[in-house]
Amino acid sequence: MATGTAIVRVPKEVQKGQVIRVQMVITHPMTPTRRDPQTGQETPGHFLTKLQLFYNDQLVSEMNMAAGISANPFIALPLKVESSGVIKIAYEDNRGGKWEKTAEITVK
């Protein structure tokens, strides 16, 4: 998969007031900045810097990220669901890449 591709997993149907886990995997190399000990030349890092979770267009969680996180990070966040709607994650990296991914959820 290409850099920035994400898989978001949520239950399709839930009860009102239920706390669910929003699970996601983001394809990203998450490489830190490195310096070659022989030449001293620095290789710039490439990693995610921010992740935001939206529920029906309302920001409910935000994470700052850095190069210390493993490649292709798996993240799970709790979310209390009160109504049907759209869950969206938005994330960006230190090279200007910006991506979004959505999933729908229905309250019975």
Side-chain angles (χ1 to χ4, degrees):
M1 292 199 301
T3 298
T5 303
I7 298 170
V8 178
R9 194 166 159 190
V10 296
K12 293 285 182 201
E13 295 183 350
V14 298
Q15 300 293 322
K16 182 177 180 179
Q18 183 177 349
V19 177
I20 64 165
R21 287 172 49 113
V22 179
Q23 298 176 325
M24 61 200 87
V25 174
I26 301 171
T27 303
H28 201 281
M30 300 296 289
T31 55
T33 300
R34 296 188 179 171
R35 182 177 303 273
D36 186 330
Q38 303 296 324
T39 65
Q41 185 174 5
E42 189 172 278
T43 303
H46 187 201
F47 51 88
L48 294 170
T49 57
K50 186 194 290 186
L51 171 74
Q52 296 175 311
L53 175 65
F54 295 88
Y55 175 45
N56 288 334
D57 293 326
Q58 181 180 359
L59 179 64
V60 294
S61 185
E62 183 171 343
M63 297 174 58
N64 291 321
M65 304 170 82
I69 297 175
S70 67
N72 306 321
F74 169 81
I75 300 164
L77 299 171
L79 177 66
K80 186 175 183 179
V81 179
E82 295 291 341
S83 64
S84 298
V86 176
I87 294 169
K88 178 176 81 174
I89 62 168
Y91 45 102
E92 57 190 56
D93 69 16
N94 65 325
R95 293 187 181 176
K98 294 183 179 183
W99 303 272
E100 293 181 358
K101 183 76 175 187
T102 60
E104 292 188 23
I105 193 162
T106 302
V107 173
K108 291 194 268 182

